[in-house]
C-alpha cells in the first residue's frame, strides 16, 4: 500500500547518482531517441530535466532548439546549470525550479514538450501531463518515454535479483511513484486532454547474438539497481546478503554464453 504523504526520489541526489544519470542518458540515447523527431520545435518544454543529461542531448541534436527545463530539486538544477553553461551563454536554455503540477511559465508558450524517466517519480502523472498541455500551443507535440518495470525477464533464472527488483518497485510505489507508468501512458494522456495519442513498446532484448551489448546492458542495469540500494537497505527492505547475491547473479548472467536479458519501456506521442 501507499504511505499517505510520503514521497521521494528512489535514487537520491548524491554526486555519484548525478553522474550515473548523465551516463544513463548517453548509454540509452540510441533507444530513447530512435524514431523521435523534434526538428520542427523551437521552444521545447522539458519537464523533470534533473541534472540536464537529456537537455544536453536535445540541444546538441537540434541546433535551433531552445529548451526550458523544469525540475523541483535544487540539487539537480545546480548540476544542470553547470553542465549546460555553454548553452546558457548562447541563450538556448532556461532552468526553472518548480513543481511540475504548477509551473510558473506562460500558457501556450511552447511548441513541443519532452518527458523522459520522470512520471515514474511523481504522485500524480495525469496532473503533470495536464499542466504541460496548458503550456503548449494547440497541436504541439509531446514525447513521453517511461518505464514499465513489469517486463523484466532474465535467463538463467535469477531469484535474488528478482526479489530485489520486487522490493525496488514496491518501495517506489509506497513513496507514491509509478514503476509501471509506461503501460498507463495512453490512458494518462487521454485523461489529460491530448489528441492523436500513439504508444510504442521499445524492447531491449539481448542474447547470444549480441554478446557485447548484452554485457554492457547488464553492467548498466547492475549500476541502476545498486543506485537504490542505500534507500532499500535503510528501510530494511533488502539485506546486505541479498544485495551481494544479486550482484553475483548479474555477474554470472553477463558471463553466461546463453543468457538472456529482456526489458521494454514505453514511448507515447500526442498533440495538445
Amino acid at each position: 500500500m501507499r504511505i499517505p504523504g510520503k514521497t521521494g526520489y528512489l535514487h537520491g541526489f548524491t554526486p555519484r547518482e548525478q553522474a550515473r544519470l548523465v551516463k544513463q542518458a548517453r548509454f540509452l540515447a540510441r533507444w530513447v531517441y530512435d524514431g523521435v523527431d523534434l526538428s520542427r520545435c523551437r521552444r521545447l518544454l522539458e519537464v523533470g530535466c534533473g541534472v540536464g543529461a537529456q537537455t544536453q542531448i536535445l540541444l546538441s541534436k537540434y541546433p535551433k532548439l531552445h529548451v526550458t527545463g523544469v525540475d523541483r530539486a535544487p540539487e539537480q538544477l545546480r548540476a544542470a546549470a553547470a553542465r549546460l553553461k555553454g548553452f546558457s551563454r548562447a541563450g538556448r536554455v532556461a532552468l526553472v525550479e518548480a513543481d511540475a503540477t504548477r509551473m510558473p511559465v506562460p500558457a501556450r508558450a511552447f511548441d513541443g514538450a519532452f518527458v523522459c524517466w520522470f512520471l515514474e517519480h511523481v504522485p500524480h502523472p495525469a496532473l503533470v501531463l495536464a499542466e504541460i498541455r496548458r503550456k503548449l500551443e494547440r497541436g504541439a507535440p509531446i514525447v513521453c518515454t517511461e518505464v514499465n518495470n513489469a517486463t523484466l525477464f532474465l535467463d538463467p533464472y535469477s531469484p535474488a535479483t528478482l526479489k530485489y527488483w520486487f522490493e525496488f518497485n514496491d518501495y517506489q510505489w509506497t513513496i507514491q511513484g509509478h514503476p509501471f507508468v509506461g503501460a498507463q501512458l495512453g490512458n494518462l494522456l487521454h485523461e489529460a486532454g491530448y489528441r492523436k495519442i500513439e504508444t510504442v513498446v521499445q524492447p531491449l532484448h539481448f542474447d547470444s547474438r549480441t554478446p557485447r551489448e548484452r554485457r554492457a546492458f547488464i553492467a548498466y542495469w547492475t549500476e541502476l539497481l545498486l543506485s537504490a540500494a542505500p534507500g532499500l537497505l535503510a528501510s530494511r527492505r533488502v539485506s546486505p546478503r541479498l544485495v551481494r547475491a544479486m550482484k553475483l547473479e548479474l555477474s554470472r548472467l553477463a558471463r553466461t554464453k546463453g543468457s538472456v536479458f529482456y526489458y521494454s519501456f514505453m514511448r507515447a506521442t500526442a498533440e495538445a
Side-chain angles (χ1 to χ4, degrees):
M1 65 178 289
R2 291 181 184 257
I3 300 174
K6 184 176 181 180
T7 61
Y9 178 58
L10 180 67
H11 305 279
F13 301 106
T14 66
R16 181 175 181 177
E17 169 59 16
Q18 291 174 339
R20 188 193 69 81
L21 290 173
V22 175
K23 181 179 177 181
Q24 171 182 272
R26 293 170 180 167
F27 181 77
L28 295 178
R30 167 184 167 186
W31 296 280
V32 168
Y33 291 94
D34 180 35
V36 172
D37 184 8
L38 294 169
S39 59
R40 295 185 180 181
C41 297
R42 295 294 180 268
R43 305 177 313 281
L44 187 76
L45 177 63
E46 184 192 0
V47 181
C49 66
V51 299
Q54 301 294 346
T55 320
Q56 188 174 34
I57 294 172
L58 288 163
L59 290 166
S60 300
K61 189 176 178 66
Y62 301 106
K64 297 181 180 180
L65 190 65
H66 180 281
V67 176
T68 296
V70 177
D71 203 283
R72 75 173 187 176
E75 307 96 325
Q76 306 294 70
L77 289 174
R78 284 194 293 270
R83 178 161 293 101
L84 302 170
K85 59 184 177 182
F87 292 109
S88 181
R89 285 196 297 265
R92 296 189 56 206
V93 64
L95 299 173
V96 179
E97 183 181 338
D99 187 305
T101 62
R102 299 184 300 277
M103 293 185 285
V105 295
R108 311 302 181 199
F110 300 94
D111 61 3
F114 184 82
V115 182
C116 187
W117 316 132
F118 174 63
L119 297 177
E120 63 170 309
H121 299 298
V122 301
H124 306 293
L127 294 181
V128 172
L129 291 170
E131 174 71 351
I132 294 171
R133 185 176 64 81
R134 287 189 284 271
K135 307 305 180 182
L136 292 175
E137 297 175 351
R138 182 169 177 80
I142 182 172
V143 177
C144 299
T145 300
E146 290 295 343
V147 301
N148 182 10
N149 287 355
T151 62
L152 180 66
F153 173 81
L154 304 173
D155 184 57
Y157 177 57
S158 304
T161 304
L162 294 177
K163 288 177 183 177
Y164 182 98
W165 187 232
F166 172 83
E167 295 298 344
F168 180 107
N169 291 308
D170 193 58
Y171 182 60
Q172 187 171 24
W173 179 260
T174 63
I175 60 175
Q176 301 192 52
H178 290 75
F180 317 108
V181 71
Q184 301 169 304
L185 285 175
N187 283 343
L188 292 168
L189 287 162
H190 180 75
E191 180 183 343
Y194 289 85
R195 305 174 300 124
K196 299 183 180 180
I197 301 165
E198 296 183 4
T199 56
V200 177
V201 177
Q202 297 286 84
L204 300 164
H205 183 202
F206 305 106
D207 57 20
S208 297
R209 295 167 295 174
T210 54
R212 290 183 180 178
E213 286 186 333
R214 179 179 59 193
R215 283 195 301 273
F217 211 91
I218 292 170
Y220 155 72
W221 198 261
T222 302
E223 192 172 2
L224 169 68
L225 294 180
L226 290 174
S227 70
L232 294 174
L233 288 165
S235 64
R236 298 187 178 181
R237 286 180 164 269
V238 303
S239 66
R241 181 178 180 180
L242 180 63
V243 174
R244 289 193 298 270
M246 176 192 72
K247 290 170 66 176
L248 182 60
E249 284 180 351
L250 290 171
S251 177
R252 288 173 177 168
L253 193 74
R255 299 193 310 269
T256 300
K257 184 177 180 180
S259 65
V260 177
F261 179 98
Y262 178 86
Y263 179 85
S264 61
F265 63 91
M266 297 288 294
R267 179 189 300 132
T269 57
E271 291 184 4

